[in-house]
Amino acid sequence: MNGIWGLVGAGVTVVGVIVTGFFTYRGTRTAAAIQAAPAAKAQDFAVLQATVDRVDKENGELRQWQRRTEAILRAFSLSADRWRRQMERAGIEPEPPHPLVDEYNRTGV
């Protein structure tokens, strides 16, 4: 009878070791996932921050280009107006402006 109880005890021990190993495996994987989550979020944040920085730089360059283009356009407009007035004083009728220029002069847009 002691032999049977010894075998039953050994069987229970083996099942206990297997169950303990299973729960240890699950716990280790869960802990690793919990520890990896902040690192993954930090990496996502770093990518997002790099994208925002790049877009800010591009927007700054586009704003600078737009200001420069508007300044050149204003300077050319003043020059063309001066030339038009010179032609009128000399008795030369200037050609009518391009429709887009006429629309801008009427609406300001």
Side-chain angles (χ1 to χ4, degrees):
M1 193 70 147
N2 284 338
I4 292 178
W5 289 113
L7 290 175
V8 170
V12 168
T13 301
V14 169
V15 170
V17 167
I18 291 172
V19 170
T20 301
F22 173 74
F23 284 118
T24 301
Y25 171 75
R26 270 187 49 192
T28 303
R29 286 184 49 132
T30 303
I34 290 171
Q35 290 177 351
K41 289 188 184 227
Q43 183 180 7
D44 291 344
F45 180 73
V47 169
L48 179 63
Q49 186 63 43
T51 303
V52 168
D53 292 342
R54 181 183 53 81
V55 170
D56 282 346
K57 181 182 176 199
E58 288 176 3
N59 283 344
E61 291 171 355
L62 288 174
R63 282 190 212 106
Q64 182 180 7
W65 180 80
Q66 182 179 4
R67 282 192 299 271
R68 179 71 179 142
T69 303
E70 289 173 351
I72 291 171
L73 181 61
R74 273 193 302 276
F76 181 77
S77 177
L78 291 172
S79 297
D81 186 54
R82 190 174 67 242
W83 295 331
R84 182 191 56 80
R85 282 187 271 122
Q86 281 179 334
M87 290 175 67
E88 288 175 349
R89 281 195 305 266
I92 303 171
E93 183 64 32
E95 291 186 24
H98 189 276
L100 291 176
V101 174
D102 189 44
E103 179 183 346
Y104 178 80
N105 288 336
R106 282 185 292 107
T107 63
V109 179

